[in-house]
Amino acid sequence: MILFVGAGRNQRRAIERARGLDVRVVAVDRNADAPALPVADEAEVVDFSDVEAVTDVGRRHGVTGVMTVASDRAVPIVAAVAEALGLPGIGSDTAHVMTHKVAMRRRLAEHGVQQPRFAAVRTHAEARAAAEAVGFPAVLKPADSSGQRGIFRLRSFDDLEAHLHAALAASSSAEAIFERYHEGAEVNTLLVATRGEVHFVAACDRLRPNGIGFGVALALVYPSTFFGDVLEEVERMAVAAVHALGVQDGIAYPQLLVADGGVMVVEVAARIPGGPMGEVAGFGTGIDLVEIAVRQALGFDVPEELVQPRFQQPFAISFLTARPGVLPTGKVRRVEGVMRAEAFPGVARVETYIQPGETIRPVQVDGDRRGYVIALGDTNLDALERARAASRLVDVEVEA
């Protein structure tokens, strides 16, 4: 039996896939109505930030593996529970540097991995000193948050003063990181580490807006539009980051920036990414990341054929958002057109989270995305056109 830490919307498909591999699943989540709890073999309502409580669940059920997908907050918990129960895991030290941005930056710097200049801040005085050392434009982030919460783009000391409190408040350790902002194109990558060997799986372009919400992906395009020397450098840098952060067995999700100064690491996650980004390997290459993660959590070897692409299929994901996306803002009256979008040529999946009575807001954090469309195509740009066209068929009416 395997223990899933977290049972939200993003965990549901992974739990279903694990059970499809004939693995029994016990899932924990503090929300009794968590969408994935009903699909687990056993479900317990437990706040997964409580390591002792989660460990007790694992011990009572005799689990032989523990894992999560999509949730950065769960990664240190999974590592701690695995250590407590003597199960396979990435280790608490690696889990910490993979989920704490300051620790990650310091570890990458120790290994000479190219990244933006940065400084850690806890106070106004430290923030001003960081700004003077790093310079503007800059990005201010909580040291240990996710989902683009508490992230601000700064152009001046006035911006820093305006947003520092919110960034610190979004961090459980009351710490933020001040980084130099670089214009460029973002590339998401997926890698699998097995026994210390790192396998590069996929790279896709991450399209995002300018201004507020600049960190939220509006679309993903596979394969990446970069090629040749640039794509080789993306792969080299992603592999170097995974090695530097100490992942021996696990899934890694580095986000990189292709800028005028070269390729640099934005951040790295030690998990299968959330939402449809976790589907990139499957749709694009046929590699099943959940099967790999389950095998690693249970301590099984990962055969070479599981990390080798079976095909190359261009596709794109268009997220459903308000400005600058296609959705209106306001309180939802009705949602129609999903079936029309599903029937659009090339569309592989449409999923929406929009409910009448909720309020749609301009996109600022990942949680403002209200669904997505995945479309296949003969080329990546053809797939993107199809995904965007199909997303416009989802008709949401809001109150005037």
Side-chain angles (χ1 to χ4, degrees):
M1 176 172 276
I2 196 166
L3 171 62
F4 263 76
V5 179
R9 182 177 63 239
N10 288 320
Q11 280 84 18
R12 184 181 179 106
R13 289 185 189 278
I15 290 174
E16 290 174 334
R17 176 58 184 142
R19 294 187 66 201
L21 296 168
D22 293 327
V23 175
R24 288 179 56 79
V25 174
V26 55
V28 297
D29 199 290
R30 68 178 179 181
N31 177 11
D33 297 319
L37 286 181
V39 302
D41 294 286
E42 303 286 346
E44 297 211 18
V45 179
V46 173
D47 185 346
F48 70 62
S49 64
D50 186 338
V51 175
E52 290 187 7
V54 178
T55 301
D56 180 63
V57 171
R59 186 175 289 113
R60 284 189 287 103
H61 287 275
V63 301
T64 54
V66 53
M67 64 176 286
T68 191
V69 303
S71 173
D72 269 344
R73 291 192 307 112
V75 169
I77 307 302
V78 168
V81 171
E83 288 177 343
L85 297 178
L87 301 175
I90 63 173
S92 289
D93 177 70
T94 298
H96 174 66
V97 298
M98 297 291 281
T99 54
H100 192 281
K101 294 177 177 62
V102 174
M104 179 184 296
R105 286 273 179 249
R106 288 172 175 161
R107 183 68 59 86
L108 292 174
E110 289 171 1
H111 288 263
V113 177
Q114 187 164 319
Q115 59 183 332
R117 295 179 64 190
F118 71 96
V121 299
R122 289 183 178 274
T123 66
H124 280 80
E126 290 178 351
R128 292 192 68 85
E132 291 171 356
V134 174
F136 294 100
V139 178
L140 183 67
K141 306 176 182 179
D144 52 1
S145 184
S146 61
Q148 311 303 321
R149 291 183 291 273
I151 297 181
F152 302 95
R153 184 175 169 182
L154 312 178
R155 294 180 173 83
S156 66
F157 283 101
D158 287 343
D159 288 344
L160 176 59
E161 291 290 333
H163 299 303
L164 179 61
H165 175 75
L168 291 172
S171 165
S172 62
S173 58
E175 186 174 17
I177 186 167
F178 187 102
E179 300 178 349
R180 187 62 186 254
Y181 175 83
H182 295 268
E183 292 287 351
E186 288 194 11
V187 180
N188 282 0
T189 60
L190 289 167
L191 299 91
V192 177
T194 59
R195 302 293 189 262
E197 181 180 359
V198 179
H199 306 266
F200 189 86
V201 172
C204 67
D205 294 351
R206 183 177 188 266
L207 309 184
R208 53 186 176 79
N210 293 317
I212 295 175
F214 72 95
V216 180
L218 298 182
L220 300 171
V221 180
Y222 177 85
S224 170
T225 55
F226 291 105
F227 58 91
D229 292 345
V230 175
L231 191 57
E232 288 181 7
E233 182 64 6
V234 166
E235 179 174 346
R236 187 190 72 81
M237 193 67 67
V239 171
V242 174
H243 278 304
L245 295 170
V247 181
Q248 296 294 307
D249 289 276
I251 311 294
Y253 171 37
Q255 294 177 265
L256 300 101
L257 183 71
V258 179
D260 289 342
V263 178
M264 59 185 70
V265 175
V266 177
E267 57 186 50
V268 187
R271 54 174 172 78
I272 296 174
M277 179 60 203
E279 312 268 10
V280 166
F283 274 104
T285 70
I287 294 175
D288 187 339
L289 291 182
V290 174
E291 180 176 359
I292 292 171
V294 167
R295 292 185 68 89
Q296 290 182 323
L298 295 173
F300 299 154
D301 286 335
V302 176
E304 184 73 17
E305 58 267 23
L306 288 186
V307 296
Q308 295 301 317
R310 294 193 290 110
F311 53 78
Q312 291 289 335
Q313 171 62 62
F315 77 98
I317 303 168
S318 179
F319 290 96
L320 298 174
T321 74
R323 293 191 303 267
V326 299
L327 299 181
T329 56
K331 189 172 183 180
V332 176
R333 279 185 172 173
R334 60 174 181 82
V335 181
E336 296 180 351
V338 173
M339 292 181 64
R340 290 198 301 271
E342 291 173 333
F344 194 84
V347 169
R349 182 187 301 163
V350 179
E351 187 166 354
T352 65
Y353 324 130
I354 311 167
Q355 298 295 327
E358 73 168 294
T359 298
I360 298 176
R361 298 178 176 83
V363 61
Q364 296 186 43
V365 298
D366 285 353
D368 293 324
R369 298 185 301 203
R370 308 310 301 147
Y372 60 87
V373 175
I374 300 178
L376 313 181
D378 293 331
T379 68
N380 47 12
L381 297 182
D382 175 47
L384 180 60
E385 287 185 8
R386 289 178 171 182
R388 285 175 166 169
S391 69
R392 289 192 287 270
L393 297 177
V394 178
D395 182 20
V396 178
E397 180 183 330
V398 297
E399 295 180 0

